[in-house]
Amino acid sequence: MEAPHLYLGWHPEYGFVAASSPRLTDHLRDWALERVQFEPIPGTNLHRLTEPGQDGQRRARQAVTAIRGLNLVVQADFTLDPELTADPPRPTVSHGLAQRQARIAGAATARSPQRAAPVTSTVASVYRTAPVTVPTSTVPGTTRGR
């Protein structure tokens, strides 16, 4: 097996970290790690995953795969190596959340109780007027002439 270019693992203070071997130039290391959302830790030779609290393990596993896609050799902790372990379970939508979303969708499509009721026919009949009949002889242009 070829010697690794990068090592990925868990650090108690910094979270998910990556370190490089002397085989990898600093420029290539920085370029590869910044591509997979790792940032340098000042005063050390380590890089840490940005915002590890936002699904850090999945992102670190994806970083291992992406760095290997660059034809670099990566040695990772057992839990971070996609070739050695299965993916962690994905979060599922709880039944309570699905019910809440259904209630919100129903409320969005229902008629608002704040809107006025439609006008009934008894109220509308007050404003109606009887049709006016006009004799045909007084309307110009209705008789045939000549």
Side-chain angles (χ1 to χ4, degrees):
M1 179 177 173
E2 192 176 348
H5 294 104
L6 289 169
Y7 301 92
L8 266 76
W10 175 257
H11 190 278
E13 185 178 345
Y14 301 123
F16 298 101
V17 295
S20 65
S21 69
R23 296 183 53 205
L24 196 60
T25 64
D26 292 343
H27 175 73
L28 183 57
R29 175 201 62 211
D30 292 341
W31 176 82
L33 291 174
E34 286 174 9
R35 246 183 109 161
V36 292
Q37 300 178 353
F38 277 78
E39 62 186 1
I41 301 172
T44 68
N45 65 344
L46 299 174
H47 285 66
R48 69 176 159 214
L49 183 65
T50 59
E51 300 178 16
Q54 294 183 354
D55 205 8
Q57 184 176 8
R58 180 190 58 81
R59 291 175 46 227
R61 289 172 62 89
Q62 286 179 335
V64 170
T65 303
I67 293 169
R68 286 181 178 158
L70 298 171
N71 292 326
L72 296 174
V73 180
V74 178
Q75 181 179 347
D77 284 352
F78 182 76
T79 58
L80 299 180
D81 197 337
E83 293 178 358
L84 300 177
T85 57
D87 289 336
R90 287 223 178 248
T92 58
V93 176
S94 69
H95 189 62
L97 178 60
Q99 287 178 342
R100 180 175 181 272
Q101 289 173 339
R103 282 194 316 269
I104 291 170
T109 58
R111 184 174 181 90
S112 171
Q114 294 180 345
R115 297 201 42 117
V119 178
T120 61
S121 61
T122 58
V123 175
S125 65
V126 172
Y127 298 107
R128 290 191 189 147
T129 58
V132 177
T133 57
V134 179
T136 57
S137 62
T138 59
V139 177
T142 58
T143 58
R144 295 185 111 188
R146 252 190 190 201

